[in-house]
Amino acid sequence: MSTPEKTTPKDGAEQELTSESKMTTPEEDSSAIVKDLGSEERQISESKMTTPEEDSSAIVKDLGSEERQISESKMTTPEEDSSAIVKDLGSEERQISESTMSTPEKDSTAIVKDLGSEERQMSEDLLAEEEDVMTKAGKQGNLQDYKAHVIAKFDTSVALQYDSPEMKVLSDAFKPDQKTFRPHTIILHGRPGVGKSALARSIVLGWAQGKLYQDMSYVVIFSVGEIKWTEKSSLAQMIAKEWPDSWAPVTKIMSQPERLLFVIDGFDDMDAVLQDEDDMTLSRDWKDEQPIYILIYSLLRKALLPESFLIITTRNTGLEKLKSVVVSPLYILVEGLSTSRRSQLILENISDDYQRMQVFHSVIENHQLFNQCQAPSMCLLICEALQLQKKLGKECTLPCQTLTGLYATLLFHRLTLREPSWGTLSQEEQITLVGLCRMAAEGVWTMKSVFYDDDLKNYSLKESEISALFHTKILLQVGHRSEKSSIFFHRSLQDFFAALYYVLEELGEWNQYFSFIKNQQSIMEVKRTNNIPLGMKRFLFGLMNKDILKTLEVLFGCPINLTIKQKLQHWVSLIGQQVNDTNPMDTLDAFYYLFESQDEEFVHVALNSFQEVWLLINQKMDLTVSSYCLQQCQNLKAIRVDIRALISEDNTLELCPLVDLQKKLHKPLKECWKNFSSVLSTHPNLKELDLGNSILNKWAMEILCLKLGNSSCSIQKLMFKNAEIESGLQYLWKLVSNPNIKSLNLGSTPMTDDDMKLACDALRHPRCSLETLRLDSCELTLAGYEMISTLLLSTTSLKCLSLARNKVGENSMIYLGDALRSSECSLKKLILDGCDLPPESCHVLASALFSNQSLTHLCLSNNNLGTKEVQQLCQVMKTPECALQRLILNHCNIVDAAAYGFLALILSSYRKLTHLSLSMNPVGDNAMKLLCEALKEPACYLQELELVDCQLTENCCEDIACMIPIAKHLQSLDLGNNALGDKGVIALCEGLKQNTGSLRRLGLGACELTSKCCEVLSLVIASNSRLKSLNLVMNDFSTAGMLKLCCAFQCPATSLSVIGLWKQQYYAEVRKQLEEVQSIKPHVVIDGDWYSIDEDDRNWWKN
């Protein structure tokens, strides 16, 4: 690997500045959002600003291809911060904004003056004294010497056209316009590796070459990564150090601070030393000696040389910190290479069309790998690796579709072995390689990318030996001749070597060869992968590839038995075990890390614990990675897939204009979707597939339904709730002929009469075994209800039908009633939640319940039911013909006490009713007393009573307490969101103490409980052996109260297996005790989402 001629290091890497940077001005806390609406198009915003008190934003829209537009914006007072977010979405065009600032009216911090003719006059004696000293020393301190020094330092690594639009933005940034003052601080921000440092170096070089900032007398660059922060110095000494031979006319330089520009490269590397900046005493004298970080901080705060100008580079992650430090900044987003330029750099040296297409598939279509190519140096590394893989041919067994595989190929096969006949590194070579890896790891953990000669000595390293070992430049020399420093060719190389260290550290006792390293970090001590630096994490997984490990075994002449492999697998398995606490993006990230390994055995073990998965699919590569990993999730039972931004037409070829082959060689999006659908349809244990909220076009639905309709597909439950599938809905009905499909949810899918006809015809198919159909919010018509009525009389498989949130008029109810009354209708569960039922509906339903004994579950929630309607339902339940078992009447506005009297009467005598839900009705204490009396009756067989948010208070708790030990069949009672208070729960505990009832599940969530009831409640928990599930979320327990409850949870006598609590709500001491509970009793579930644990078909009516 050779050093690129026209690149320069960025964050430890050489990168050519070809980035596209855009700029606006901070005006009234506003930002210009630039959006790309098509390839090869550019748009520019024009924004105007008002007073600093106002908020505004410029929304920039695309004006067409081949157009450039310049935005002019004005800046407000220095108190305000804003940034222009400018995105490059793939064209070769530039988008430029010209910005100016408004007059700072109330800036009490930065005193910035444009002196003009009032330039400071330096005293003649100081100038004479400085010139006399330099003359006697034989030093001229000539400005031209300094410029020549800068050109010699940077000219070989920076290549930029200074008349380009990018540089025009920067060159005009400090210029005043009309009556406004110019900004004195510019922030260049962007992702790692996009060329921010290259841009900083080019600024200094441009000034030295007479092409940029010629109104500045002096431009000085400070590279943060090269500075030793704890050393004391003065600003004068720091400037002199940048001067050739360290002889700088400092007095002359400081005499005109308004013509002095400081470029501070890599602010984010200062984070470690700026933790206590509030207590920092700022320096205001350029001759004052202070720790260097105080001097830099004083420059940023404009305490030191406030008239001077600053350009600062930082990663996006360092912006928030920087905003609290700088005064009235102007932000410029550096985006890096355009997608077209990246494609050209990667493919321009490949002449064979077929090989170009292979590279296109493995690199450019791999968005995670392609996004790494933000600078020419990175493109160069990938190109060299691909060319080496081609040269090696079948000899190269390492994966080519991952960055780890490419780097492993590039580095391992470039090693110059001293014992080539053995194929093994000598001990000296092993020490050099391990030392390099350890230094890289040390730097990653401490955010250090610049290494001095002392650092290399600590790791027994010599740059010449490293270059000889790899036959290429791994480290690049930067800094002064008097104090040289080194950086990795690219920051990603440092991450690679850092990860490699944790593979090699188990192969021997290497510490004896290195000096003491105080910041050494053990991967085995890290509890979660979130704590591992992102770049290194990727390579850690990639190095688990068996072919890479075999190569390392050959190089070191011994087998590798990795404990780190088990650690990585354990980290991934935790995601599978904590489904409810896992963000879907975390799961997809884990899949990408596993894909990096390209080792199926390793991936299979890591994913063995996964039974449920939630994925967000937005790009083609997401499909490829997910397909690869899902095949290894052999115990997977349920998957939720959100496909939000997957384009309907494949346009990836537009990113690669150099590739001009027949489409048969191109791997289209359809093929990736087809492979993904095949994985879903052939998975042996997958039973549930949720595509809710997804956007699927016609061909996507056609492919998916074709695969899922195959009899080999074992999926039983299929959900499309809130999905956009209308264009391909006709294909959906073909898959219901798969006898394995038992449940279909089409919630919020508009169903036309034609759609309903296709659906009903499909459901009557002899092979259709569908048992549950949800048509919630499907905009059904009267004709649709008529077709449903006919369907219910002609199918025997359909057992559950939900028509929730569809308006059911009088005629629609007549159609449904005709079917429900028929003995030919085998429907068991009917959901009419929120259907705006007409008054006669309950009469129709009562008639159906009397005539048809198959209907056992009825949900009428969110409909207004008066006393008459409730009475009609209760009267039919008195008859022996009625088979109703579960009745859901949530939020039905039942206000009359007589209605509750009818319900209480039925409970006391109707033995078939086992579940009743009256949540969100104003039951009140008096009606609750009636219900309690009914529950005491021996003839009452009610097993579950839901009374959430029913306006109950402590006054009814004694009645409930008396009922609990007597009600022999009541197993679940939910009193959540009622103001029971501590007194009410203490009263309830009197009934629970008796331990003679059947209650297994008790809901006390949001009942206004405090620690005052914890003593009594903990005694009940510890002594009641029947209680299995308890909900305590959203109550105000103190730490002391929670510790009492935790002791009860740990008690051997308690039978609690489900506890509703938000662990994150409490301090570390409580969280530790809750974790101890689960450690002692692994079967115990402690979860804030208590209702998600569905037992005994409790939530059958829910979506």
Side-chain angles (χ1 to χ4, degrees):
M1 180 175 61
S2 60
T3 304
E5 296 180 359
K6 296 184 179 180
T7 60
T8 186
K10 158 66 201 93
D11 293 338
E14 281 204 345
Q15 298 184 1
E16 176 184 350
L17 177 70
T18 55
S19 63
E20 298 190 21
S21 53
K22 291 91 180 176
M23 176 179 72
T24 60
T25 54
E27 179 70 20
E28 307 167 278
D29 216 27
S30 68
S31 63
I33 311 301
V34 182
K35 300 181 179 179
D36 184 13
L37 300 182
S39 62
E40 303 298 329
E41 297 180 354
R42 282 288 182 264
Q43 81 239 41
I44 315 297
S45 65
E46 295 188 5
S47 56
K48 294 185 179 180
M49 304 203 180
T50 56
T51 60
E53 291 77 19
E54 299 178 6
D55 286 337
S56 64
S57 63
I59 308 302
V60 183
K61 299 182 178 179
D62 188 11
L63 300 180
S65 62
E66 304 296 333
E67 296 184 356
R68 295 191 183 95
Q69 197 173 28
I70 310 294
S71 70
E72 297 183 359
S73 52
K74 298 181 180 180
M75 295 184 64
T76 59
T77 60
E79 293 94 271
E80 302 177 4
D81 285 342
S82 66
S83 66
I85 309 302
V86 184
K87 299 182 179 178
D88 176 11
L89 299 180
S91 76
E92 291 293 337
E93 303 172 5
R94 306 280 194 231
Q95 174 183 341
I96 313 299
S97 64
E98 297 179 355
S99 56
T100 55
M101 299 179 64
S102 64
T103 306
E105 301 173 28
K106 298 180 180 180
D107 191 346
S108 60
T109 308
I111 306 174
V112 183
K113 301 178 181 179
D114 188 356
L115 297 177
S117 62
E118 300 178 7
E119 296 182 356
R120 297 179 179 178
Q121 299 296 316
M122 187 189 315
S123 63
E124 294 182 2
D125 54 341
L126 286 176
L127 276 172
E129 181 182 348
E130 182 177 80
E131 291 176 358
D132 182 58
V133 171
M134 298 182 69
T135 301
K136 290 180 180 180
K139 305 294 181 181
Q140 297 300 317
N142 191 288
L143 177 59
Q144 296 306 317
D145 291 343
Y146 175 61
K147 290 186 175 181
H149 168 70
V150 170
I151 292 172
K153 183 177 180 180
F154 294 127
D155 197 29
T156 59
S157 57
V158 174
L160 190 70
Q161 299 296 323
Y162 290 98
D163 58 352
S164 67
E166 299 99 320
M167 295 312 297
K168 189 177 186 304
V169 172
L170 282 169
S171 66
D172 293 343
F174 288 132
K175 291 182 178 179
D177 180 43
Q178 298 175 358
K179 297 180 181 181
T180 62
F181 285 90
R182 55 177 140 177
H184 280 62
T185 301
I186 292 176
I187 297 175
L188 306 176
H189 65 98
R191 292 181 298 165
V194 297
K196 299 182 297 295
S197 290
L199 184 53
R201 288 171 173 83
S202 68
I203 290 168
V204 185
L205 180 61
W207 169 79
Q209 292 177 338
K211 302 175 181 177
L212 189 66
Y213 295 138
Q214 292 309 288
D215 55 338
M216 300 292 176
S217 297
Y218 299 92
V219 177
V220 181
I221 185 170
F222 296 134
S223 180
V224 173
E226 299 175 20
I227 294 176
K228 296 183 178 178
W229 296 107
T230 56
E231 287 187 358
K232 283 193 173 184
S233 180
S234 66
L235 184 59
Q237 292 168 350
M238 291 179 66
I239 292 174
K241 192 175 181 181
E242 297 295 325
W243 212 268
D245 300 320
S246 299
W247 284 90
V250 179
T251 306
K252 185 176 181 181
I253 294 172
M254 297 302 182
S255 68
Q256 293 180 304
E258 71 279 0
R259 299 188 66 185
L260 181 58
L261 171 62
F262 293 103
V263 179
I264 301 174
D265 181 31
F267 168 82
D268 34 294
D269 289 336
M270 287 183 63
D271 188 59
V273 295
L274 292 182
Q275 298 300 323
D276 301 319
E277 69 267 22
D278 293 338
D279 300 328
M280 197 180 297
T281 301
L282 300 179
S283 174
R284 301 180 185 277
D285 187 349
W286 53 268
K287 298 185 293 295
D288 185 24
E289 289 194 7
Q290 295 282 353
I292 294 178
Y293 70 88
I294 292 181
L295 299 178
I296 297 294
Y297 186 70
S298 300
L299 282 174
L300 298 177
R301 294 292 298 162
K302 289 296 181 182
L304 184 59
L305 301 181
E307 300 92 341
S308 65
F309 293 85
L310 296 176
I311 293 179
I312 308 162
T313 72
T314 183
R315 299 176 187 176
N316 290 329
T317 53
L319 266 184
E320 288 303 316
K321 182 74 172 180
L322 191 55
K323 284 180 179 180
S324 65
V325 175
V326 296
V327 177
S328 190
L330 178 70
Y331 296 92
I332 300 177
L333 176 64
V334 182
E335 274 290 331
L337 295 173
S338 68
T339 52
S340 298
R341 180 61 178 149
R342 277 180 272 164
S343 301
Q344 290 171 351
L345 286 173
I346 293 172
L347 297 169
E348 63 185 359
N349 294 322
I350 303 175
S351 57
D352 181 70
D353 280 346
Y354 189 79
Q355 187 190 358
R356 292 174 115 191
M357 186 54 71
Q358 287 181 315
V359 172
F360 177 73
H361 292 328
S362 60
V363 178
I364 298 176
E365 284 192 318
N366 184 336
H367 76 267
Q368 194 181 49
L369 182 56
F370 191 52
N371 285 344
Q372 295 288 325
C373 304
Q374 293 291 346
S377 57
M378 189 66 185
C379 296
L380 177 67
L381 287 173
I382 289 180
C383 288
E384 288 198 27
L386 292 170
Q387 289 171 2
L388 183 56
Q389 283 186 334
K390 179 186 177 184
K391 181 179 178 182
L392 293 171
K394 294 182 180 180
E395 296 179 20
C396 181
T397 59
L398 304 183
C400 65
Q401 63 268 59
T402 67
L403 192 58
T404 309
L406 292 173
Y407 276 4
T409 299
L410 188 63
L411 298 172
F412 297 164
H413 288 280
R414 283 290 185 95
L415 288 171
T416 306
L417 306 178
R418 295 180 185 174
E419 304 291 346
S421 59
W422 300 348
T424 302
L425 294 170
S426 67
Q427 185 178 27
E428 292 79 8
E429 291 168 335
Q430 291 181 17
I431 293 171
T432 297
L433 178 55
V434 175
L436 181 66
C437 293
R438 185 163 182 173
M439 184 178 75
E442 172 81 5
V444 167
W445 287 113
T446 59
M447 297 182 66
K448 181 177 181 180
S449 59
V450 180
F451 303 94
Y452 295 91
D453 288 343
D454 290 343
D455 295 319
L456 270 65
K457 290 177 182 177
N458 286 338
Y459 299 99
S460 302
L461 293 174
K462 293 182 180 178
E463 198 279 331
S464 59
E465 293 181 353
I466 297 173
S467 297
L469 178 62
F470 290 99
H471 199 61
T472 189
K473 284 274 187 182
I474 298 297
L475 298 178
L476 300 174
Q477 298 294 316
V478 295
H480 301 276
R481 279 169 276 181
S482 59
E483 189 176 23
K484 291 183 179 179
S485 57
S486 302
I487 58 177
F488 282 85
F489 182 79
H490 192 272
R491 182 57 185 265
S492 60
L493 272 181
Q494 181 177 347
D495 292 332
F496 176 84
F497 281 112
L500 183 57
Y501 171 72
Y502 292 102
V503 176
L504 301 180
E505 69 171 341
E506 300 181 38
L507 298 183
E509 294 294 332
W510 305 106
N511 290 346
Q512 58 183 311
Y513 302 108
F514 312 129
S515 300
F516 174 69
I517 309 299
K518 62 181 179 180
N519 292 317
Q520 184 57 40
Q521 178 85 25
S522 172
I523 285 289
M524 303 309 294
E525 295 173 359
V526 180
K527 293 185 177 180
R528 296 181 64 88
T529 56
N530 294 340
N531 298 327
I532 301 177
L534 192 62
M536 187 174 72
K537 188 194 307 185
R538 172 182 186 161
F539 290 118
L540 271 174
F541 280 89
L543 289 170
M544 297 302 104
N545 178 270
K546 59 179 179 294
D547 291 322
I548 292 178
L549 294 177
K550 285 179 182 178
T551 302
L552 288 172
E553 288 178 348
V554 172
L555 291 174
F556 281 80
C558 62
I560 297 179
N561 185 18
L562 292 176
T563 55
I564 182 63
K565 177 181 283 191
Q566 286 76 37
K567 183 73 173 179
L568 293 174
Q569 290 170 332
H570 174 67
W571 279 330
V572 175
S573 69
L574 290 178
I575 295 177
Q577 296 169 19
Q578 301 168 1
V579 178
N580 294 332
D581 298 328
T582 300
N583 186 292
M585 289 308 300
D586 292 337
T587 303
L588 186 60
D589 286 344
F591 278 15
Y592 267 98
Y593 294 133
L594 292 170
F595 181 81
E596 189 78 16
S597 74
Q598 288 295 294
D599 190 312
E600 292 185 2
E601 183 180 349
F602 170 74
V603 176
H604 178 82
V605 174
L607 296 175
N608 190 55
S609 65
F610 280 62
Q611 295 189 18
E612 296 181 44
V613 165
W614 180 10
L615 295 171
L616 293 179
I617 304 293
N618 292 315
Q619 303 185 59
K620 184 190 297 186
M621 195 62 193
D622 295 344
L623 288 174
T624 301
V625 169
S626 298
S627 298
Y628 176 84
C629 290
L630 288 175
Q631 292 181 82
Q632 306 305 323
C633 295
Q634 292 301 303
N635 294 316
L636 190 66
K637 295 180 180 178
I639 179 171
R640 174 180 171 184
V641 186
D642 288 1
I643 303 173
R644 305 280 178 85
L646 200 60
I647 52 177
S648 59
E649 296 297 334
D650 195 359
N651 65 355
T652 49
L653 277 177
E654 295 177 9
L655 300 179
C656 188
L658 300 184
V659 177
D660 185 19
L661 296 180
Q662 295 181 0
K663 286 189 176 182
K664 65 180 182 180
L665 293 178
H666 177 54
K667 186 178 181 180
L669 177 61
K670 287 184 180 180
E671 185 174 339
C672 293
W673 177 247
K674 186 176 182 180
N675 293 337
F676 182 75
S677 300
S678 295
V679 170
L680 297 177
S681 64
T682 57
H683 198 288
N685 297 311
L686 187 62
K687 302 302 179 186
E688 295 185 15
L689 174 59
D690 185 353
L691 289 162
N693 301 300
S694 294
I695 302 173
L696 302 177
N697 61 14
K698 185 175 181 179
W699 62 256
M701 282 295 292
E702 182 179 11
I703 292 172
L704 177 69
C705 295
L706 181 64
K707 295 293 183 181
L708 299 184
N710 195 301
S711 59
S712 62
C713 175
S714 61
I715 293 175
Q716 297 179 359
K717 188 174 182 180
L718 190 56
M719 288 162 278
F720 289 97
K721 181 184 176 183
N722 295 320
E724 294 184 22
I725 58 174
E726 294 89 331
S727 62
L729 194 57
Q730 67 268 31
Y731 301 109
L732 182 64
W733 306 115
K734 296 180 180 180
L735 67 82
V736 297
S737 61
N738 180 349
N740 294 320
I741 303 291
K742 304 296 182 184
S743 176
L744 179 61
N745 187 338
L746 293 177
S748 300
T749 301
M751 299 284 289
T752 65
D753 292 343
D754 290 339
D755 293 327
M756 283 304 304
K757 185 178 185 306
L758 288 174
C760 292
D761 289 344
L763 292 172
R764 280 191 287 267
H765 192 281
R767 295 186 60 191
C768 177
S769 300
L770 197 69
E771 297 177 355
T772 299
L773 177 63
R774 297 200 69 112
L775 298 176
D776 306 0
S777 303
C778 286
E779 304 176 12
L780 300 180
T781 66
L782 179 61
Y785 285 113
E786 184 179 8
M787 285 184 272
I788 290 173
S789 176
T790 305
L791 173 67
L792 293 176
L793 296 174
S794 59
T795 178
T796 57
S797 65
L798 193 63
K799 305 299 180 185
C800 177
L801 175 64
S802 176
L803 302 174
R805 291 177 295 283
N806 288 288
K807 183 174 177 59
V808 178
E810 182 177 348
N811 293 330
S812 301
M813 198 68 221
I814 292 174
Y815 282 131
L816 291 176
D818 290 342
L820 293 172
R821 282 191 294 269
S822 173
S823 58
E824 296 179 5
C825 176
S826 58
L827 197 68
K828 291 184 177 181
K829 304 174 183 179
L830 178 61
I831 303 167
L832 296 174
D833 186 339
C835 288
D836 193 17
L837 297 177
E840 62 276 8
S841 296
C842 284
H843 175 73
V844 174
L845 291 171
S847 176
L849 289 169
F850 179 81
S851 304
N852 189 342
Q853 296 187 1
S854 64
L855 191 62
T856 58
H857 295 54
L858 180 61
C859 175
L860 300 177
S861 296
N862 295 293
N863 290 288
N864 285 323
L865 301 182
T867 302
K868 180 180 179 181
E869 287 76 23
V870 174
Q871 182 182 11
Q872 289 173 340
L873 291 174
C874 291
Q875 284 177 339
V876 74
M877 283 190 284
K878 290 181 181 179
T879 65
E881 289 81 7
C882 180
L884 192 64
Q885 299 172 9
R886 305 193 180 204
L887 180 61
I888 311 299
L889 299 176
N890 296 340
H891 203 264
C892 286
N893 197 28
I894 303 174
V895 296
D896 195 340
Y900 295 107
F902 289 126
L903 287 170
L905 185 62
I906 288 300
L907 289 178
S908 63
S909 59
Y910 180 61
R911 297 193 174 197
K912 294 179 183 178
L913 190 65
T914 57
H915 293 69
L916 175 64
S917 182
L918 297 172
S919 294
M920 292 176 283
N921 285 294
V923 176
D925 295 333
N926 292 331
M928 186 65 216
K929 293 178 181 180
L930 293 176
L931 295 176
C932 286
E933 291 300 320
L935 289 166
K936 293 178 185 178
E937 294 295 326
C940 178
Y941 277 70
L942 195 71
Q943 298 175 15
E944 180 168 344
L945 180 59
E946 301 278 339
L947 295 168
V948 177
D949 192 13
C950 286
Q951 301 181 17
L952 306 180
T953 72
E954 63 184 68
N955 296 327
C956 69
C957 288
E958 288 187 9
D959 296 281
I960 298 174
C962 293
M963 174 269 295
I964 288 175
I966 299 174
K968 299 303 180 182
H969 299 284
L970 187 65
Q971 298 179 13
S972 176
L973 176 63
D974 192 354
L975 302 172
N977 205 26
N978 288 292
L980 305 184
D982 295 323
K983 291 183 180 179
V985 169
I986 291 172
L988 280 181
C989 289
E990 292 300 318
L992 294 169
K993 284 179 184 177
Q994 299 185 38
N995 206 14
T996 57
S998 301
L999 198 65
R1000 304 287 187 270
R1001 182 177 180 269
L1002 177 62
L1004 296 175
C1007 284
E1008 301 182 10
L1009 309 184
T1010 72
S1011 297
K1012 293 179 181 179
C1013 69
C1014 287
E1015 182 73 33
V1016 175
L1017 188 58
S1018 61
L1019 292 174
V1020 169
I1021 292 171
S1023 61
N1024 191 316
S1025 60
R1026 297 176 182 271
L1027 198 61
K1028 307 292 183 183
S1029 180
L1030 177 64
N1031 188 20
L1032 295 172
V1033 298
M1034 299 178 67
N1035 285 297
D1036 190 18
F1037 298 129
S1038 67
T1039 298
M1042 279 301 303
L1043 292 177
K1044 292 178 182 179
L1045 293 176
C1046 289
C1047 289
F1049 296 153
Q1050 296 178 23
C1051 181
T1054 183
S1055 299
L1056 277 179
S1057 59
V1058 178
I1059 303 171
L1061 280 172
W1062 289 111
K1063 296 180 187 177
Q1064 297 82 356
Q1065 178 182 346
Y1066 302 102
Y1067 289 115
E1069 186 179 4
V1070 174
R1071 294 199 303 270
K1072 183 178 180 182
Q1073 288 299 314
L1074 291 173
E1075 290 174 1
E1076 183 67 18
V1077 171
Q1078 291 182 293
S1079 176
I1080 297 172
K1081 301 179 177 181
H1083 66 283
V1084 174
V1085 176
I1086 303 178
D1087 195 331
D1089 192 4
W1090 187 65
Y1091 293 99
S1092 67
I1093 304 171
D1094 187 6
E1095 302 167 351
D1096 194 26
D1097 197 25
R1098 178 174 293 107
N1099 298 318
W1100 64 272
W1101 51 275
K1102 292 184 179 179
N1103 231 332

